[in-house]
Amino acid sequence: MYNPSVRFPRRAKLKDGTITEWKSNGDFSGTIGNSLAIQAFAIRITGPASLTCDCIYGGLFQGDHFPIRASNGQWSEAPQGGNLIAMQITFLEK
């Protein structure tokens, strides 16, 4: 069930090395019209939910066969610098 009080900011590392600011629910992460692929991303939970939940995620990147897993604000990034193809996000109770 959707809970508007749960915030999960995210940021991206782009192909040119730019790291975006943390963006909140509903805000766009990445670029519009610049054709810069995402090569890493990070997600975290903020506010009261951060006391009771963990954010576990993984990105599948070009050239890799398995997702690169991370949690709670760490970078999910391919060692070879491949572009992001897909991501999975899971929220778990602590």
Side-chain angles (χ1 to χ4, degrees):
M1 179 174 14
Y2 174 70
N3 183 342
S5 68
V6 176
R7 301 281 182 218
F8 49 98
R10 65 247 170 237
R11 64 181 177 174
K13 188 181 296 183
L14 307 176
K15 189 173 185 104
D16 69 352
T18 300
I19 297 175
T20 67
E21 298 290 325
W22 287 99
K23 300 291 183 169
S24 295
N25 299 15
D27 291 337
F28 183 80
S29 296
T31 67
I32 297 174
N34 294 332
S35 299
L36 292 172
I38 293 175
Q39 293 192 318
F41 69 98
I43 304 168
R44 63 185 181 188
I45 299 174
T46 60
S50 66
L51 301 173
T52 59
C53 294
D54 283 321
C55 182
I56 314 293
Y57 45 92
L60 183 61
F61 297 88
Q62 285 178 329
D64 289 315
H65 298 288
F66 299 100
I68 307 298
R69 299 189 192 286
S71 63
N72 299 325
Q74 299 171 332
W75 286 112
S76 173
E77 180 174 17
Q80 298 83 9
N83 297 340
L84 179 65
I85 298 170
M87 67 173 69
Q88 180 180 18
I89 305 166
T90 304
F91 298 99
L92 296 174
E93 224 175 295
K94 290 185 180 183

